[in-house]
Amino acid sequence: MKELNQDGLSRRNFIKFAGLTGVSVGLAACAIEPESETAAQPTPMPAGEHDMAAAPTTAAPTVSPAEAAAEMDAMHEAGIKIFVDGAGSNPDFWGVPLEYTMDGDTKVFELTCAETKWEVEPARVIDAMSYNGIVPGPIIRVTEGDNVRVIVHNEMNQSTSVHWHGVLLPNNQDGVPYLTQPPIRPGESFTYEFVARNPGSHMYHSHHNAAEQVTRGLLGAFLIDPKDPAHDPAFDSDYVLVLNDAVTGFSLNAKSFPYTQPIIAKVGEKVRIRYMNEGLTIHPMHLHGLEQLVFAKDGWNLPQPYYCDTLNIAPGERYDVLVDCHTPGVWAFHCHILSHAESAHGMFGMVTAMIVNE
Ligand SMILES: [Cu+2]
C-alpha cells in the first residue's frame, strides 16, 4: 500500500512539472523554439487535475478523501523541507559580481554570450542563453561618474546586442540593432563605452529577438552606486531579485521554489531589495509580516517614499525597497498571482522567504 502511494506521488510530481512548464509555454508561445524542452510540454493542466481527490488512476486503489488530503499536505511539506534544508546553500543565487580591469581611468568588463543549459530546478533544465555561463548574468556594479567599457563577445548561433536598460548614455551605445548599431553576429564582438551618469538599480539585457533571448537568460543587473551614499537610505544588506517567466518558468533569480534561497537577516537590520522584472507579465511581490518602504522606481529616488506589503512590478520596471526587520520569524515572500506560486502539489515558482533571526 505504501509503495503504491509513493508511486502515485512521483507520478503526480511528474504531472506537476509538466503542468508548470505548460503554463510557461502559454506565456511564451511565440518566443520559443518548437524543439526546446519547454515547448515540448503539453498545454496547461486543467484546473480540475490539480484536485487530488479528483485524480484517481487505474493502477492505484481508490484513495479516500482523508488519504488524498494527507497526500496533498505531504507534497506541500516536502517542498518546504527542501527549501528550509537548502537555506544558505547557494549564495550565488543572490548574484555574482563581474570583475573588471582598469584601462587608465576606465573600468573594463567582459561579457560572453553563449547557449548553455540552466537548471531552474533539478527536474527542469532549460536551453538557456547566458552571459558568462550564468542566469541572471553577473552583476555589473560601478559608481556614479565612472567611465565604463563593456566588451561583448557573441558565441551563440544568433545575433544579439546589449541594451543598458535605464542607464543614461549616448544614443549610439543604446544597443538596438539597426537603430543604433549593427547586430553582434555569431563570432563577433562589440564594445560599449559610456559614463555612468545616473545612480540606481538598472538592468542589461539583449535587445535582439528579445522575447526569446531575455526569457532564455540574456539579462543581468547593472547597478550604479551614488557618489554620495547619503543619496539613498542606509541599509545593512542588499539583494537583487530578478523576476522572470516564459522560458525559465515563474522564477526568482532564475530558480524556482523550493530551489530559491531565503533572505536571512537579524532583528533590527534594514534590508534593501532591488526588484527587476525581466519577464513578460506583471508580478505583485508580497512580503508577509514586514512592511516594504518603496524609495526608488526605475533607479530614480521617489520624492515621497511609501509603504506597502504587495508591490506590483511590471516588465521592465525596477523598484528599490527597504525592509525594517522588526519582527523575528520565517516570513513567506512570494508573487501574489497565486498561480505563479502555489498549486495543489505545493508552492512552486516565485516563492521565497525572509528569515529574521533573534
Ligand atoms: Cu507572478
Side-chain angles (χ1 to χ4, degrees):
M1 184 61 185
K2 193 178 174 204
E3 210 170 334
L4 279 173
N5 278 343
Q6 283 171 342
D7 286 343
L9 187 74
S10 47
R11 182 165 52 248
R12 285 174 188 136
N13 271 335
F14 171 78
I15 292 166
K16 168 192 161 188
F17 290 122
L20 296 187
T21 49
V23 171
S24 311
V25 170
L27 285 166
C30 60
I32 46 183
E33 299 163 7
E35 67 268 28
S36 79
E37 291 162 45
T38 309
Q41 298 296 342
T43 48
M45 178 167 34
E49 290 191 36
H50 285 286
D51 184 350
M52 291 293 86
T57 63
T58 49
T62 307
V63 177
S64 74
E67 285 172 329
E71 189 176 334
M72 187 170 88
D73 293 350
M75 286 190 283
H76 279 66
E77 185 180 24
I80 297 286
K81 186 175 187 322
I82 290 169
F83 177 74
V84 170
D85 289 351
S89 65
N90 179 16
D92 286 353
F93 175 82
W94 294 111
V96 178
L98 185 56
E99 303 296 327
Y100 58 85
T101 57
M102 293 302 295
D103 179 13
D105 64 354
T106 299
K107 289 180 176 171
V108 181
F109 297 88
E110 291 202 47
L111 290 175
T112 299
C113 314
E115 284 160 51
T116 50
K117 298 285 184 187
W118 181 256
E119 186 184 280
V120 180
E121 57 187 321
R124 196 151 47 89
V125 176
I126 62 165
D127 291 318
M129 292 173 156
S130 67
Y131 293 119
N132 297 4
I134 55 174
V135 185
I139 295 175
I140 300 180
R141 187 165 203 154
V142 298
T143 301
E144 178 185 2
D146 279 352
N147 297 316
V148 179
R149 182 183 304 151
V150 187
I151 305 164
V152 179
H153 308 285
N154 181 7
E155 295 182 355
M156 307 188 300
N157 293 318
Q158 291 186 14
S159 298
T160 191
S161 73
V162 181
H163 169 60
W164 313 96
H165 184 107
V167 179
L168 301 180
L169 37 60
N171 183 246
N172 64 4
Q173 302 302 300
D174 197 42
V176 183
Y178 301 110
L179 208 54
T180 65
Q181 66 166 90
I184 312 171
R185 296 181 185 86
E188 291 183 353
S189 297
F190 191 91
T191 299
Y192 295 90
E193 193 150 351
F194 50 87
V195 176
R197 285 170 56 196
N198 55 319
S201 302
H202 310 301
M203 307 190 286
Y204 65 97
H205 53 222
S206 164
H207 211 291
H208 193 63
N209 188 23
E212 176 182 358
Q213 293 194 2
V214 176
T215 64
R216 279 177 72 180
L218 287 181
L219 58 99
F222 192 102
L223 310 182
I224 304 180
D225 289 323
K227 246 183 203 160
D228 176 7
H231 176 270
D232 292 342
F235 52 89
D236 299 298
S237 54
D238 190 1
Y239 295 89
V240 170
L241 200 56
V242 177
L243 319 178
N244 212 342
D245 46 56
V247 181
T248 61
F250 298 117
S251 59
L252 301 175
N253 290 341
K255 293 285 182 184
S256 178
F257 185 91
Y259 301 95
T260 52
Q261 289 285 305
I263 289 175
I264 302 174
K266 286 199 179 73
V267 167
E269 280 187 6
K270 290 201 163 51
V271 174
R272 179 179 187 162
I273 303 168
R274 304 170 191 254
Y275 295 109
M276 305 183 174
N277 189 342
E278 289 279 22
L280 305 183
T281 189
I282 202 160
H283 299 290
M285 291 301 296
H286 175 55
L287 174 60
H288 293 208
L290 303 166
E291 67 277 20
Q292 308 187 51
L293 177 65
V294 184
F295 70 90
K297 158 88 166 85
D298 297 341
W300 300 104
N301 283 8
L302 299 173
Q304 184 65 63
Y306 60 94
Y307 288 105
C308 67
D309 58 59
T310 307
L311 182 61
N312 241 349
I313 301 141
E317 286 188 325
R318 289 91 61 218
Y319 283 94
D320 286 60
V321 305
L322 199 66
V323 177
D324 179 356
C325 300
H326 49 64
T327 307
V330 180
W331 299 109
F333 185 16
H334 60 93
C335 175
H336 216 290
I337 295 179
L338 298 177
S339 55
H340 299 181
E342 192 162 37
S343 77
H345 308 268
M347 292 194 287
F348 72 93
M350 308 179 88
V351 177
T352 180
M354 187 172 289
I355 300 177
V356 180
N357 292 315
E358 301 266 12

